[in-house]
Amino acid sequence: MTECRVKECRVKDRKTAILEAAARVIAHHGVRGLRVEELAAEAGVSKALVYYHFGDRAGLLRHTLRFIGDRAERYTGGGPPGPPGTPGPPRAPKDAALELERRLLLELRDTPEVRENSTAWGELRASAVFEPELREELARAGRQWVREIADLLGRIDPSPPDAALVGAAERLTVLLEGLSTRWLIGVLPVGHASELMRGAIAAEVEALRLREPRQACAVA
Amino acid sequence: MTECRVKECRVKDRKTAILEAAARVIAHHGVRGLRVEELAAEAGVSKALVYYHFGDRAGLLRHTLRFIGDRAERYTGGGPPGPPGTPGPPRAPKDAALELERRLLLELRDTPEVRENSTAWGELRASAVFEPELREELARAGRQWVREIADLLGRIDPSPPDAALVGAAERLTVLLEGLSTRWLIGVLPVGHASELMRGAIAAEVEALRLREPRQACAVA
DNA sequence: GTCTATAATACGATAGAC
DNA sequence: GTCTATCGTATTATAGAC
């Protein structure tokens, strides 16, 4: 089904081309602005082919959500989709704390790839309020993303119970989504968003450390 | 222009009726699903009247955003719009910490009013990524909301510099938006969202306290 | 699998009377 | 300020050939 045999991998099957175009169009005009005709033109195929492959508009959105999630999974160099992001250093697992910060800040860089992935993901997430068929995929991606962040937190400080790690991870990932949204809206400069993210990481890590208060002042 | 002279205040001018209907319709079908015809029917007026009062669809959205913000301002019993919420105890300023928690959790209650306001606000916020004319109002509301939370944080602990209070407030309000979104999507039970919010408040308050590390263990 | 052509209609916006 | 009637077109989706 795919013709990808040459080094450059330029020849894609049209189904994939449609999904890539969908991500691009959604990032530029939103889910509401997604016209099947425009999408087809962008992908270089006919309108009818879109319906052939995805049934209807809703099916297209569902597949696009999954596609974006999978793409981010490869891009972040790790497990999760989530509010997807983009390339980054080929994964050098130095200190867990640094890796955690790297992972979370990966989604807050003003590059075309991050913008496109994050904008499209944010749009689809917002649509999910009214399109229940998107929820399962969102929930799945969210869980995976939380799990990964929780594991990184656990590598920084293994003492807290898993529930506490997961709670912190949930807060950090949800905050990231919120920051990303504000950034993309244009009411929050991306640098400020990163700074806030760093602050939250620090606060959460500190809070995890303070779970055993006796220990807190022992060193002092 | 308004006929509101009887105790029940039931007779509203049609412009207001349109805005209320807009909030309702957006909460039920999203900005994407807002059809001017349906809105008019919901408000009990003609389609043409909507255009007369608001010019076009975009103008309608702009005014609706402001309307929802103002309504939340009254509802929360305080200053801010923001990810708007609803009624609550007629504002008993007990302890600042409790007031802070009350304010933030006000937006995470599963009542028809909160759902409607939050859903509509979330939709309009998401739309703002592609409709720049909504940004100014969103930024204004966001600043006001942050200011209020920062002030409450300052009442809990006056020692940190204002920038630190504002940073914490920004994180808390952005997190609230994210939690609200996830709740409304249906991937996060409202009780769990509240729990996460409380955890974040605790972490931020603690982090503010630890800004002067020498002080931290003095009491111990 | 992929295309062209077209059906069917939903939707935003306006004209003009009252 | 408010209505009814209508216009023009943008969009989704399908039919049917290749």
Side-chain angles (χ1 to χ4, degrees):
Chain A
M1 194 195 252
T2 313
E3 323 299 332
C4 182
R5 287 184 311 199
V6 211
K7 57 168 183 181
E8 268 259 74
C9 192
R10 230 175 234 306
V11 190
K12 298 162 194 140
D13 62 321
R14 314 215 203 218
K15 196 170 170 182
T16 304
I18 293 172
L19 290 170
E20 284 172 346
R24 229 174 304 139
V25 172
I26 291 174
H28 283 330
H29 305 303
V31 168
R32 178 168 201 279
L34 174 70
R35 309 292 164 219
V36 179
E37 184 146 33
E38 184 193 3
L39 161 66
E42 180 81 18
V45 303
S46 74
K47 240 188 333 178
L49 193 61
V50 177
Y51 287 100
Y52 173 77
H53 279 305
F54 303 104
D56 59 2
R57 222 187 104 97
L60 172 69
L61 296 182
R62 224 173 30 251
H63 283 86
T64 304
L65 182 64
R66 163 73 70 125
F67 173 79
I68 295 175
D70 289 351
R71 187 164 68 173
E73 205 165 329
R74 293 197 307 274
Y75 280 5
T76 51
T86 29
R91 179 144 213 203
K94 340 171 183 184
D95 184 22
L98 287 180
E99 172 68 4
L100 173 69
E101 193 167 297
R102 190 189 73 83
R103 266 296 171 69
L104 289 169
L105 293 182
L106 221 45
E107 319 285 345
L108 294 175
R109 289 171 307 138
D110 196 349
T111 71
E113 295 89 351
V114 173
R115 269 198 114 91
E116 181 182 309
N117 247 12
S118 292
T119 307
W121 185 267
E123 266 294 289
L124 289 164
R125 185 187 345 130
S127 308
V129 177
F130 305 100
E131 314 213 34
E133 65 271 37
L134 297 178
R135 292 178 190 181
E136 190 186 1
E137 177 65 18
L138 279 169
R140 197 188 64 78
R143 277 192 303 270
Q144 201 174 327
W145 181 239
V146 164
R147 188 64 259 166
E148 184 160 352
I149 298 303
D151 289 346
L152 284 170
L153 285 168
R155 285 212 275 138
I156 296 176
D157 176 8
S159 61
D162 192 62
L165 296 174
V166 168
E170 286 177 320
R171 283 189 291 269
L172 290 175
T173 54
V174 170
L175 177 67
L176 176 57
E177 284 180 358
L179 289 173
S180 180
T181 300
R182 287 211 179 182
W183 159 44
L184 294 168
I185 288 174
V187 299
L188 186 68
V190 69
H192 191 186
S194 302
E195 210 178 304
L196 289 171
M197 192 72 231
R198 271 190 282 265
I201 296 172
E204 290 289 353
V205 168
E206 195 56 39
L208 286 174
R209 282 215 182 92
L210 290 173
R211 279 186 62 90
E212 306 92 298
R214 325 264 167 263
Q215 191 100 3
C217 292
V219 215
Chain B
M1 197 195 250
T2 313
E3 324 298 334
C4 182
R5 288 185 311 201
V6 211
K7 56 167 182 180
E8 268 257 74
C9 192
R10 233 177 232 306
V11 191
K12 300 163 192 138
D13 62 321
R14 312 215 204 221
K15 196 170 171 181
T16 305
I18 292 172
L19 290 169
E20 285 173 347
R24 229 173 304 140
V25 172
I26 291 175
H28 282 331
H29 306 303
V31 168
R32 299 164 186 81
L34 174 69
R35 309 296 163 216
V36 179
E37 185 147 32
E38 184 194 1
L39 161 66
E42 180 80 20
V45 304
S46 72
K47 237 190 335 177
L49 193 61
V50 176
Y51 287 99
Y52 172 79
H53 279 305
F54 303 104
D56 59 3
R57 222 188 101 101
L60 172 69
L61 295 182
R62 225 174 30 251
H63 283 85
T64 304
L65 183 64
R66 164 72 72 122
F67 174 78
I68 294 176
D70 289 350
R71 188 165 66 172
E73 206 164 329
R74 293 197 308 273
Y75 279 4
T76 52
T86 30
R91 179 145 214 201
K94 340 171 185 188
D95 183 24
L98 286 180
E99 173 69 3
L100 173 68
E101 192 167 297
R102 189 190 73 85
R103 265 295 170 70
L104 290 170
L105 293 182
L106 222 44
E107 319 286 345
L108 293 175
R109 286 171 310 137
D110 195 349
T111 72
E113 294 90 351
V114 173
R115 271 197 112 91
E116 181 181 309
N117 246 12
S118 293
T119 306
W121 185 268
E123 266 295 289
L124 288 164
R125 184 184 349 126
S127 309
V129 176
F130 304 99
E131 314 214 34
E133 66 270 38
L134 296 179
R135 294 178 188 180
E136 190 186 2
E137 177 65 18
L138 278 169
R140 198 189 63 77
R143 278 193 302 271
Q144 202 174 327
W145 182 240
V146 164
R147 189 63 261 167
E148 184 162 351
I149 298 303
D151 288 346
L152 284 170
L153 285 168
R155 285 212 275 138
I156 295 177
D157 177 7
S159 61
D162 192 62
L165 295 174
V166 168
E170 286 177 320
R171 284 190 289 270
L172 290 174
T173 55
V174 170
L175 177 68
L176 177 57
E177 284 181 359
L179 289 173
S180 180
T181 301
R182 288 211 177 181
W183 159 44
L184 294 168
I185 288 175
V187 298
L188 187 68
V190 69
H192 190 186
S194 302
E195 210 178 305
L196 289 171
M197 192 71 232
R198 270 190 283 261
I201 296 172
E204 290 290 353
V205 168
E206 195 56 37
L208 286 174
R209 282 216 182 93
L210 290 174
R211 279 188 61 91
E212 304 94 299
R214 328 259 167 268
Q215 191 100 10
C217 293
V219 215

